[in-house]
Amino acid sequence: MTRFVFITGGVVSSLGKGIASAALAALLQARGYRVRLRKLDPYLNVDPGTMSPYQHGEVYVTDDGAETDLDLGHYERFTGVHATRADNATTGRIYSEVIARERRGDYLGATVQVIPHITDAIKIAITRETDDLDFCLIEIGGTVGDIESLPFLEAIRQLGNELGPDGTMFVHLTLVPFIPSAGELKTKPTQHSVKELLNVGIQPQMLLCRCDRPIPDNERRKIASFCNVRQSAVIAALDADTIYAVPIAYHNEGMDREVLRHFSLPSEASPDLSRWQRIVDVVRAPEGTVRIAVVGKYTNLLDSYKSLAEALTHGGIANRVRVQLDWVDSQVFEQPDTVTRLEEVHGILVPGGFGERGTEGKIAAVRFARERKIPFFGICFGMQMAVIECARHLAGLPEASSTEFAPTPEPVVGLLTEWARGNEIERRAAGGNLGGTMRLGAYPALLAPDSLASAMYDGATEISERHRHRFEVNVHYRDQLEMAGLVFSGMSPDGILPEVIEYADHPWFVGVQYHPELKSKPFAPHPLFAGFIAASVQQARLV
Ligand code: GLN
């Protein structure tokens, strides 16, 4: 039987609902239950793919090619369960489904309304493909009290009624702030937030209270009594030094036990959390530190590189070192003599990105890494910049560029308007829609035996990785670039799309067209991140 746990948020946003949901799922999973996490987002975009990283942080891509909320990245990293298109729905997606059905005439003349048609569509989105689960955790984006989340709250209220307390549970995340002048933790915002929920007919059964210090018994009793929840279900969620410490912290507060009690499931035995403890131990007591420069564009907004930062941490875990990240806006390297600042780092990474601004700085960083033999990792846009750098400085093509910026006489990176996926040919129109029109999701690549890339993947010659890009390295330049020393060590199975590049005469220089950071997990660091950090540890010994 599938039980649904709904996680809402109150008081303010950014309380870490995604991590909290992922941590609860990890605890239930550690007890042997089959879990899946889903996110409902109240905005009108059909998916976050068209949103600026400044607005919404990273766009997380699933194997099946959906552009989703970054919380799905936390879900995958904490549970190892691969998310799918079905695991993220937005108001925009729900409405467009309902409106498409209305146009087809599926409603047989009925007046189409928010209740029941939108709420029914939400209920379908929540419950579809959940039969093989013990628990499905549904995170509701936004904050209770927002107008836009009302249809979602109404839908989960109805599900609570239809499936009853044996099949549903409501967890509400709130803030219990410490007011220095009073010297007290304040429970009033929590009380108000629960009132907001009650207004829409939802009585939470658990309160997860974010706070910066333990909640004294007196305050806990007050919250329980005013908000009508069991005192043992008032869970203090203290700030953690690493997100990977959150599952153990919540377990110590009794969160998983209370959820099982709610569903009348056995809760006495403790789950085996030793693998979480091992991760936390390595993160808290590293054997050294490596400094990595991330040379990008959105470096002032770390949410836009969420998975990247996590994957680098995982690479550190694999090598038992702390990875200190130096986020550098690539534009600084467009001033003379600034790139020597990179002398102090042990590895240089140029991540994914869009648009021309800052590209010359990225190319300068690539050149510095190549010439000074500093470990280099180029991801997606970073790989494209590495290829342009090679073309300009080694292959005698000073005008080499990407057609993403402007028409160029040497389109070393360009727009491919069609490529093979399985037996189908996908077509892209150059001037078409922006939403959902990139090469998205998992694609296979073949690695050259004896390449560094293949060695990184334990000798594998066939891999599958996730993509999100519109432009491709132009295979017509392959021979010219290989003559100049660049090795095309990974290609799409049809040999048309370059997937991995490297240099043979460099300690560690790898560019990949895909996004390996999306599949890295704390328990299974992605081999390229483990390898990049291992090479950076070597570099740290040299300098
Ligand atoms: N802007 C480049 C493209 O669309 C790279 C995208 C990325 O780095 N994700 O191909």
Side-chain angles (χ1 to χ4, degrees), residues 351-355 379-382 384 404 413 438 468-472 513 515:
F354 292 83
I379 294 178
C380 204
F381 200 62
Q384 297 174 357
E404 180 171 356
V413 176
M438 286 189 264
R468 181 174 187 252
H469 56 103
R470 204 168 270 119
F471 296 84
E472 305 279 353
Q513 185 57 74
H515 287 277

Side-chain angles (χ1 to χ4, degrees), residues 432-454:
N433 273 353
L434 281 186
T437 55
M438 286 189 264
R439 181 149 82 108
L440 285 169
Y443 284 83
L446 302 183
L447 303 179
D450 303 324
S451 61
L452 173 61
S454 162

Side-chain angles (χ1 to χ4, degrees), residues 282-336:
V282 179
V283 171
R284 288 198 179 137
E287 289 165 8
T289 299
V290 290
R291 272 198 311 282
I292 304 294
V294 181
V295 182
K297 176 160 143 190
Y298 311 108
T299 48
N300 54 349
L301 195 87
L302 299 188
D303 261 5
S304 47
Y305 293 120
K306 200 91 225 171
S307 294
L308 180 70
E310 292 307 322
L312 285 162
T313 303
H314 304 160
I317 291 171
N319 292 282
R320 308 190 74 85
V321 294
R322 188 168 89 86
V323 179
Q324 185 188 321
L325 297 182
D326 188 0
W327 300 93
V328 198
D329 183 340
S330 59
Q331 276 182 302
V332 304
F333 298 137
E334 292 173 3
Q335 305 308 319

Side-chain angles (χ1 to χ4, degrees), residues 23 40-41 64 112 125 159 163 262 288 324 329-330 343 356 385 404 413 455 467 471 476-477 492 510 515:
L40 300 178
D41 277 308
D64 61 354
V112 182
L159 277 174
L163 304 175
H262 170 89
Q324 185 188 321
D329 183 340
S330 59
E343 269 166 0
E356 187 171 18
M385 293 305 107
E404 180 171 356
V413 176
H467 291 249
F471 296 84
H476 296 117
Y477 287 92
S492 59
V510 175
H515 287 277

Side-chain angles (χ1 to χ4, degrees), residues 122-144:
I122 295 171
K123 289 196 280 184
I124 290 168
I126 290 173
T127 52
R128 85 176 110 203
E129 297 162 36
T130 54
D131 289 347
D132 57 343
L133 301 175
D134 297 310
F135 287 97
C136 188
L137 282 67
I138 312 284
E139 180 189 347
I140 313 291
T143 308
V144 168

